Amino acid sequence: MASDGFRPLDEKSLVEYLKATPSLAAKLGNQFDKLEIREVGDGNLNFVYIVIGSSGSFVIKQYFESLKYDFNNVAFLGKESWPMTKERAYFEATTLQDHGRLCPDHVPEVYHFDRNMCLIVAKYCGNVELCRLTEQVVFSDPYKVSEYNHWTTPYLDDDAKAVREDNILKLEVAELKSKFCERAQALIHGDLHTGSVMVTNESTQVIDPEFSFYGPMGFDIGAFIGNLILAYFAQDGHADEGSDRKILGTSSTKSLLLFWDEHKDGPGEAYLPAIYNNPELQLLVKQKYMEDLFHDTLGFGAAKMIRRIVGVAHVEDFESIKEASKRADCERKALNFAKTLLKERRKFQNIGEVVTAIEHLD
Ligand code: ADP
Ligand code: SR1
Ligand code: MG
Ligand code: MG
Ligand code: MG
């Protein structure tokens, strides 16, 4: 240990530090054997660990006197270090505390500050538990035997089995699951099915963002579109109730690009004019982004459709079809379309083509 009391921590010595710090040990219920610890710092300067125990979680940030690159970036090895004051830990801790007093809803609470160790422990802002639930019920359970899964049995027994045995489908779902876990594109709602959108003649409001986190935008857009498509397929089961089958008509890509242009002089730096320095290149880079987003949307939407038919949580559109064989017929059509959409999503250029594909089924 240095004379100033500073000691760099790693994932192992961190546990010893937690054990020796009663307030933090108490947050973890004094249980240290099954701690999940991940270093997640994505900046150049500091080490940030997420610590998740059975009864609590937090982040630990430790500040060093040199760049983080000195420790783990080969390209930086051998170069002279860039000295950085460790006192920045003090400024960060006191600023977080001051801002937190003024604006407690928008600043993570500081649980612990150790000036000698240059270390701050603060509230972990992730939505771990509910993201984990989504990982399980959307991307895992429908593709394996799970006690939570159910479907319209016996009619869909073979269909559910086919989902569990479809390797191409599983490979595509693996890609989507990895995007769900890794792609922090925007603060998304996380459960944007049609039941989360309250519509009256005067207003449209979105409720229930308990699954919100920084994730892929297509997960939200897909959830909504997937639910509209499920509603469409359910209509044969409600034949007596009339059938206006228009499912989707607008071009969301166009409006998003217009919105993008409206904010082109804002603080964002994604596609700098100095790099994308002519109108054609600017358009191409935006179109590429929108194409990826659209294919994410279709993939996530299809995965959400599948989980609503063979997973734990279903939709009222199908559940309210009382006759099981009729319900199963509707669900099978939706399931088969969702499987195709998931596997072949990259062939679609716009939502109009998806609508046409649905309308031309059998
Ligand atoms: P859950 O997380 O259990 O789905 P929600 O927040 O979605 O809970 O609330 C359940 C239902 O309650 C909603 O689908 C909606 O019908 C109704 N509801 C909740 N909040 C509102 C609100 N602010 N205005 C109108 N209805 C609401
Ligand atoms: C146990 S799964 C419950 C589902 O309900 C929520 O609204 C989410 O869609 C979640 O996946
Ligand atoms: Mg930083
Ligand atoms: Mg909810
Ligand atoms: Mg809800």
Side-chain angles (χ1 to χ4, degrees):
M1 186 182 299
S3 57
D4 58 2
F6 180 83
R7 176 166 49 93
L9 292 177
D10 57 25
E11 291 179 14
K12 196 155 167 262
S13 52
L14 193 70
V15 179
E16 300 313 312
Y17 183 85
L18 295 174
K19 285 182 183 168
T21 311
S23 62
L24 300 178
K27 276 205 174 298
L28 299 171
N30 287 297
Q31 300 288 319
F32 304 99
D33 43 344
K34 284 197 183 130
L35 279 186
E36 188 184 323
I37 300 180
R38 265 185 305 139
E39 206 280 313
V40 294
D42 58 357
N44 300 325
L45 303 184
N46 313 302
F47 283 80
V48 180
Y49 298 91
I50 291 175
V51 179
I52 301 171
S54 49
S55 63
S57 63
F58 40 71
V59 292
I60 298 190
K61 182 168 177 180
Q62 191 173 36
Y63 306 70
F64 286 67
E65 272 179 326
S66 51
L67 291 184
K68 185 180 179 185
Y69 276 174
D70 295 2
F71 294 87
N72 62 7
N73 190 321
V74 179
F76 215 83
L77 287 179
K79 296 186 183 162
E80 208 161 284
S81 186
W82 189 326
M84 297 289 302
T85 172
K86 285 190 294 188
E87 276 300 274
R88 66 190 191 278
Y90 166 79
F91 289 107
E92 179 152 337
T94 50
T95 303
L96 280 173
Q97 285 161 337
D98 287 347
H99 284 175
R101 268 188 292 278
L102 294 168
C103 204
D105 290 345
H106 299 288
V107 181
E109 183 182 345
V110 175
Y111 298 141
H112 175 81
F113 171 49
D114 184 333
R115 195 164 182 174
N116 292 329
M117 285 288 282
C118 300
L119 173 157
I120 292 176
V121 180
K123 179 182 170 188
Y124 174 41
C125 299
N127 197 354
V128 194
E129 257 104 79
L130 292 189
C131 285
R132 192 171 285 160
L133 176 70
T134 299
E135 281 174 46
Q136 180 183 340
V137 299
V138 177
F139 300 106
S140 299
D141 278 2
Y143 305 92
K144 70 191 221 341
V145 174
S146 157
E147 58 181 309
Y148 303 110
N149 288 344
H150 63 100
W151 51 82
T152 305
T153 191
Y155 305 97
L156 293 187
D157 289 359
D158 287 345
D159 302 84
K161 187 161 177 272
V163 168
R164 296 195 300 270
E165 291 176 353
D166 189 330
N167 289 344
I168 296 175
L169 196 65
K170 289 183 192 177
L171 288 174
E172 293 294 346
V173 167
E175 187 179 318
L176 290 166
K177 184 177 186 181
S178 139
K179 277 196 175 171
F180 176 79
C181 299
E182 295 155 11
R183 186 144 205 209
Q185 202 171 29
L187 177 58
I188 67 166
H189 180 283
D191 196 20
L192 194 62
H193 52 77
T194 40
S196 293
V197 185
M198 301 286 107
V199 181
T200 69
N201 284 336
E202 287 75 41
S203 73
T204 301
Q205 306 217 331
V206 174
I207 61 163
D208 195 14
E210 68 190 306
F211 284 80
S212 58
F213 75 114
Y214 284 92
M217 295 194 281
F219 190 75
D220 271 0
I221 314 168
F224 189 73
I225 289 177
N227 259 61
L228 293 182
I229 299 176
L230 288 179
Y232 175 86
F233 279 107
Q235 286 185 26
D236 274 344
H238 300 283
D240 303 342
E241 299 162 29
S243 66
D244 173 8
R245 287 168 167 261
K246 196 162 190 295
I247 53 175
L248 209 64
T250 58
S251 164
S252 49
T253 302
K254 203 168 164 195
S255 358
L256 204 50
L257 280 177
L258 288 175
F259 191 61
W260 188 329
D261 286 342
E262 228 174 81
H263 292 268
K264 70 177 173 15
D265 299 321
E269 290 200 358
Y271 299 125
L272 292 171
I275 301 171
Y276 304 94
N277 51 6
N278 64 66
E280 292 76 31
L281 194 56
Q282 274 174 25
L283 188 63
L284 278 178
V285 76
K286 284 185 208 167
Q287 279 172 341
K288 166 127 189 40
Y289 188 92
M290 296 309 297
E291 189 180 275
D292 285 347
L293 176 57
F294 181 62
H295 293 150
D296 280 3
T297 296
L298 298 186
F300 286 125
K304 301 273 262 179
M305 289 172 67
I306 293 171
R307 60 79 59 116
R308 296 290 185 198
I309 298 166
V310 297
V312 59
H314 290 208
V315 288
E316 192 55 22
D317 311 63
F318 287 135
E319 295 298 278
S320 55
I321 303 172
K322 293 197 184 60
E323 199 184 317
S325 65
K326 205 184 217 186
R327 180 165 72 245
D329 286 345
C330 299
E331 290 174 323
R332 186 177 297 108
K333 281 185 193 153
L335 183 62
N336 287 338
F337 180 74
K339 283 162 61 175
T340 306
L341 186 62
L342 207 154
K343 292 179 197 173
E344 298 182 9
R345 62 189 182 280
R346 297 175 197 88
K347 291 184 183 161
F348 293 95
Q349 296 297 310
N350 56 58
I351 198 70
E353 290 179 8
V354 179
V355 173
T356 304
I358 295 171
E359 285 171 344
H360 286 84
L361 287 172
D362 61 40

